[in-house]
Amino acid sequence: MESARELGGGAPHAVSDGLRRRLDPPASVREIVARLERAGYETWCVGGAVRDALLGQAHLDWDLATAATPSQVMNVFKRTVPVGVAFGTVGVLDEAGTLHEVTTFRRDVKTDGRHAEVAFGASLDEDLARRDFTINAIAYHPQREELRDPFDGQLDLKRGLVRAVGEPVQRMREDRLRALRGIRFAGRFGFHIEPATWRAIVSSAPHLGSLSGERVQQELVKTMQQVEKPSVSMRWWRESGALRTLLPVIADAPDDRFEALDFLPRGEGDEEPGRTLDRLAMLFFGTDPAAVRPALGALKCSNAQQGWITALAKSEREIGGTVDAVLAERVPTAAEVRRWVAAVGRMRSMSFFGLVSARWHARLAQEPREAVSQRLVELRAMAGHAAFHEPVEVGDLAVTGEDLMRVGVTSGPEVGVMLRRLLNFVLDDPARNQRELLLRRVTVDVHPGRE
Ligand code: ATP
Ligand code: MG
């Protein structure tokens, strides 16, 4: 790898007043830097927080890089957590109990595209040189108010460019995840990918199968969490060949499926997990459900996520075409919507209609149809009403299986069959969900001619 010096990166430079206001790590972070510096160990803020601060965006985790070895860090602070000592990372707990990651300056001694072996005793510049992209390889010293930016990361931030540190093909060969990270950062900040970096991503694509499912899943999830318009990122996944290697079941999915992601807003705070899950489900909305679960399994998604996403794909197969056909023509009837909600399931129905709407919005962005947009609003209101105020499951019926047996239905599968028949009766008109009316209907069925 080229050293920072060979690349001609400038000496540390003082920051302007404007930058100083942005580069403002919290007091607890400054305190950790101060203590390490007092003990004689050079310590800098590095990585994502510096990048985001320079972009004027808030970032919660200020990672620190230091000349101290992990054991020296543990000697300086009373409360530490050995987060990843083999890789040089110690967690330092501040007074409030918040953990801050402090990592020893390191350089890579061996890389095989998956695992790196690192050596300590490196300089700050060597540490920056092993980072993936120039925008992630800027260091800030909060005491000296100095920036160290040997690869011109600030220039790339200004130009809006994701560019590998050093020789791109080699850097991607060292760690294939960098290909996906580069695409994610570009999508997140609305940046371009520098041509040589892009070519390296493309040449990495056939090798991405060597990444663990967990790491790929994490990248996909972070993309859905962080990127406002994931269609761009997913187009890069597709154009680079990454999608073909990692998720062949959706490599040939229609464009509107990816464009629909942009109409599913990413969530913040409490709503984040559900929104992220909706975006993940959109990727498979229209794929053969039998192929969805194995694909999610390979990504090591949880069983709950696999179940949820697969069920939505299954519902899409079952009723997606009908729903779309109705919406293209007219407002659905209340009974139709109730039946759709019943088919999808109460809990999944809001997600399902959210995905259906997002896909329509993607199409309508190409070819606006005001009437359809209006129908989508009505559909979602109707679906919400049906799901949360009307009987759509056997459990919502005004009678139970025991009631049925009391009036003569034989215990066993017949009870379930009869309950589903009653639900069907009620789905046409929720006013029918009355105990007496339903029991009378059962009696007629069980003892024909008695009435
Ligand atoms: P995010 O906001 O997504 O956390 P980040 O830049 O903080 O973005 P992290 O994954 O937390 O990303 O990594 C912190 C820093 O470590 C990066 O900014 C980068 O300098 C370095 N880094 C992380 N992963 C890699 C990698 N695979 N190869 C090289 N450097 C990496
Ligand atoms: Mg980070």
Side-chain angles (χ1 to χ4, degrees):
M1 194 190 309
E2 294 153 284
S3 78
R5 225 159 295 115
E6 281 165 318
L7 286 172
H13 51 276
V15 299
S16 66
D17 284 349
L19 281 188
R20 189 178 308 121
R21 264 192 302 279
R22 290 187 190 177
L23 287 162
D24 187 20
S28 51
V29 170
R30 290 176 182 276
E31 174 62 19
I32 294 169
V33 173
R35 301 237 333 239
L36 285 164
E37 288 277 341
R38 272 204 300 279
Y41 307 114
E42 188 185 357
T43 303
W44 293 71
C45 300
V46 287
V50 177
R51 176 199 64 218
D52 291 355
L54 289 169
L55 285 171
Q57 300 180 5
H59 192 113
L60 294 179
D61 309 315
W62 286 76
D63 295 332
L64 299 174
T66 182
T69 63
S71 60
Q72 287 167 334
V73 174
M74 289 190 272
N75 280 334
V76 171
F77 298 96
K78 273 200 296 285
R79 297 165 71 205
T80 58
V81 181
V83 175
V85 170
F87 298 102
T89 304
V90 174
V92 174
L93 292 162
D94 65 19
E95 277 181 8
T98 306
L99 188 131
H100 302 273
E101 289 196 352
V102 178
T103 305
T104 305
F105 293 153
R106 53 197 179 170
R107 63 199 149 74
D108 291 324
V109 286
K110 212 174 82 189
T111 47
D112 63 0
R114 272 182 292 179
H115 313 98
E117 205 175 292
V118 296
F120 303 144
S123 66
L124 171 66
D125 280 359
E126 284 173 308
D127 185 85
L128 294 176
R130 70 175 284 285
R131 291 171 187 272
D132 46 8
F133 301 101
T134 62
I135 57 172
N136 290 344
I138 309 171
Y140 178 61
H141 200 289
Q143 293 184 313
R144 293 192 239 145
E145 296 183 343
E146 257 174 38
L147 276 168
R148 178 84 190 132
D149 180 15
F151 304 102
D152 287 330
Q154 290 172 94
L155 181 63
D156 287 337
L157 284 174
K158 284 202 192 81
R159 300 194 280 205
L161 211 54
V162 169
R163 183 164 61 92
V165 167
E167 208 290 298
V169 171
Q170 187 191 329
R171 300 312 310 284
M172 306 269 166
R173 198 179 291 143
E174 288 166 10
D175 180 357
R176 298 295 183 189
L177 195 71
R178 289 171 185 159
L180 300 180
R181 284 174 58 86
I183 290 175
R184 170 161 59 90
F185 289 121
R188 176 170 165 192
F189 301 122
F191 282 13
H192 296 286
I193 300 174
E194 179 267 332
T197 301
W198 172 252
R199 285 195 296 276
I201 291 174
V202 172
S203 64
S204 274
H207 306 285
L208 295 178
S210 65
L211 292 171
S212 72
E214 287 89 345
R215 292 184 92 194
V216 176
Q217 184 211 142
Q218 198 183 31
E219 270 309 314
L220 203 56
V221 166
K222 282 189 174 181
T223 300
M224 299 306 155
Q225 287 170 333
Q226 298 177 340
V227 179
E228 196 176 320
K229 295 202 181 318
S231 68
V232 180
S233 309
M234 295 315 296
R235 198 174 311 133
W236 282 327
W237 272 57
R238 175 132 79 182
E239 283 172 11
S240 65
L243 201 58
R244 175 84 48 205
T245 304
L246 295 171
L247 280 170
V249 289
I250 58 167
D252 298 311
D255 287 340
D256 62 8
R257 201 189 296 178
F258 297 117
E259 280 148 23
L261 292 167
D262 301 354
F263 295 92
L264 292 165
R266 76 199 154 106
E268 307 221 347
D270 289 349
E271 65 193 4
E272 190 274 306
R275 296 268 182 94
T276 300
L277 193 55
D278 281 347
R279 283 181 157 196
L280 290 173
M282 189 76 239
L283 292 173
F284 299 92
F285 203 59
T287 296
D288 178 0
V292 173
R293 199 180 274 273
L296 295 170
L299 291 182
K300 300 285 181 278
C301 290
S302 71
N303 285 334
Q305 286 177 332
Q306 290 184 35
W308 183 269
I309 295 171
T310 306
L312 286 168
K314 195 158 165 276
S315 296
E316 201 288 331
R317 275 292 156 109
E318 285 164 3
I319 63 166
T322 310
V323 174
D324 279 356
V326 169
L327 287 170
E329 294 289 322
R330 57 176 171 83
V331 179
T333 67
E336 276 171 329
V337 175
R338 271 194 301 276
R339 285 187 181 280
W340 294 341
V341 169
V344 175
R346 164 171 286 131
M347 295 319 289
R348 271 188 295 274
S349 60
M350 293 325 279
S351 284
F352 178 82
F353 290 107
L355 300 187
V356 166
S357 299
R359 191 168 57 186
W360 266 106
H361 284 305
R363 293 175 193 156
L364 295 171
Q366 307 292 324
E367 195 196 326
R369 287 175 63 189
E370 187 46 44
V372 178
S373 306
Q374 193 50 43
R375 281 171 213 153
L376 291 171
V377 175
E378 287 186 53
L379 168 69
R380 295 185 75 174
M382 290 166 86
H385 181 76
F388 298 109
H389 299 283
E390 292 183 332
V392 290
E393 292 178 355
V394 159
D396 303 329
L397 289 172
V399 294
T400 65
E402 278 169 30
D403 294 332
L404 301 195
M405 291 189 278
R406 235 173 276 133
V407 297
V409 179
T410 328
S411 79
E414 261 178 56
V415 176
V417 170
M418 183 59 78
L419 284 170
R420 275 190 295 280
R421 239 148 89 188
L422 292 176
L423 177 62
N424 210 18
F425 176 64
V426 164
L427 282 170
D428 277 335
D429 178 4
R432 292 174 174 171
N433 194 23
Q434 296 172 35
R435 200 179 146 77
E436 291 312 314
L437 180 65
L438 298 183
L439 287 179
R440 215 176 314 133
R441 221 180 140 75
V442 173
T443 321
V444 174
D445 261 11
V446 178
H447 314 283
R450 190 188 271 190
E451 211 177 34

